[in-house]
């Protein structure tokens, strides 16, 4: 799939808006402070659960569908964001991300859609599809994370990417989405449906002045969580909410 605007006919939400069930469902907008004039608000989400998540498999570029629970989580995410005044809904080109974003978009049928390869999860190279419950794989992965935490963010996964590689393309994606100052087409309220490691790198880049070695400060990133980040017109970022589920 190519980067760009995503034109798609959405299925209607599973429950009608006037139902009591929806009226009783939590509303994110009631939990957030007002947005400061001139700022933008990013609703940075993770995709719904997949069978690879359940099995503890490392899932980067390798794509998988949502499982039943993941579909239910995506439906709930859409409900949670139903009253957000969204301008754009963006996601990676991975099926698990853009299907999750679809469930948000069905509540915002006039909202512009983008799906971007630059928002894909880190390419884990030789670790793609490997099981973290395997002691050898877990040790190797933990050693990589230790390198990254010490500031060696150019350290690549063999045949894959480094955190530095991911930050570079994620920064381009934020500009394309209109989520940060100096974007060609800035927006005010932007949903981004991404991935666990990608989200942590984005958050460290915005909130730690590019010190992406701090990315694991923003763990966990649970399936269909929402992180809310406000970005001022000068580029200063503030974490409003972390890992809301």
């Amino acid at each position: 799939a190519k980067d760009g605007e995503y034109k798609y006919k959405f299925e209607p939400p599973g429950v009608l808006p006037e139902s009591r069930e929806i009226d009783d469902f939590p509303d994110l907008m009631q939990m957030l402070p007002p947005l400061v004039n001139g700022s933008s608000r990013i609703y940075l989400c993770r995709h719904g659960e997949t069978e690879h998540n359940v099995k503890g498999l490392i899932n980067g570029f390798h794509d998988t569908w949502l499982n039943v629970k993941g579909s239910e989580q995506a439906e709930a995410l859409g409900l949670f964001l139903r009253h957000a005044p969204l301008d754009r809904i963006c996601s990676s080109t991975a099926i698990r991300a853009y299907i999750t974003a679809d469930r948000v978009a069905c509540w915002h049928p006039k909202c512009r859609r983008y799906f971007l390869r630059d928002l894909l999860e880190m390419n884990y190279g030789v670790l793609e599809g490997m099981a973290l419950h395997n002691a050898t794989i877990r040790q190797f992965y933990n050693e990589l994370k230790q390198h990254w935490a010490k500031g060696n963010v150019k350290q690549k996964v063999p045949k894959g990417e480094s955190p530095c590689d991911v930050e570079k393309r994620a920064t381009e994606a934020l500009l394309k989405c209109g989520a940060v100052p100096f974007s060609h087409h800035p927006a005010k309220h932007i949903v981004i449906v991404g991935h666990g490691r990608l989200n942590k790198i984005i958050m460290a880049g915005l909130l730690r002045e590019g010190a992406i070695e701090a990315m694991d400060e923003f763990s966990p990133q649970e399936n269909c969580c929402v992180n809310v980040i406000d970005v001022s017109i000068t580029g200063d970022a503030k974490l409003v909410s972390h890992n809301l589920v």
Side-chain angles (χ1 to χ4, degrees), residues 45-121:
C45 311
R46 189 185 174 203
H47 61 80
E49 184 182 88
T50 71
E51 283 305 307
H52 277 207
N53 297 149
V54 174
K55 294 175 181 178
L57 305 182
I58 297 173
N59 201 25
F61 267 33
H62 187 81
D63 210 358
T64 52
W65 287 84
L66 301 182
N67 61 16
V68 172
K69 182 178 179 181
S71 296
E72 292 171 351
Q73 290 170 333
E75 196 77 40
L77 178 63
L79 281 166
F80 196 39
L81 291 166
R82 67 193 180 280
H83 291 141
L86 302 181
D87 302 305
R88 292 200 187 131
I89 299 172
C90 310
S91 73
S92 80
T93 53
I95 292 170
R96 61 192 187 276
Y98 72 69
I99 291 298
T100 300
D102 282 352
R103 305 319 300 156
V104 176
C106 70
W107 291 96
H108 304 272
K110 296 182 180 179
C111 201
R112 295 184 71 180
R113 286 291 308 273
Y114 292 88
F115 69 132
L116 302 169
R117 287 185 57 82
D118 283 341
L119 290 173
L120 285 169
E121 179 61 296

Side-chain angles (χ1 to χ4, degrees), residues 118-161:
D118 283 341
L119 290 173
L120 285 169
E121 179 61 296
M122 173 183 277
N123 182 346
Y124 281 104
V126 297
L127 292 177
E128 290 277 338
M130 295 293 180
L132 279 171
H133 58 73
N134 179 293
T136 302
I137 298 299
R138 186 170 63 251
Q139 180 181 351
F140 181 63
Y141 183 50
N142 286 340
E143 287 173 357
L144 269 175
K145 291 199 296 182
Q146 288 169 12
H147 278 292
W148 297 337
K150 291 176 181 176
N152 300 326
V153 292
K154 292 185 178 180
Q155 175 76 47
K156 295 178 183 282
V157 182
K159 298 185 178 180
E161 290 184 297

Side-chain angles (χ1 to χ4, degrees), residues 177-190:
C177 292
V180 290
F182 315 115
S183 301
H184 293 300
H185 304 286
K188 196 170 183 180
H189 291 268
I190 308 101

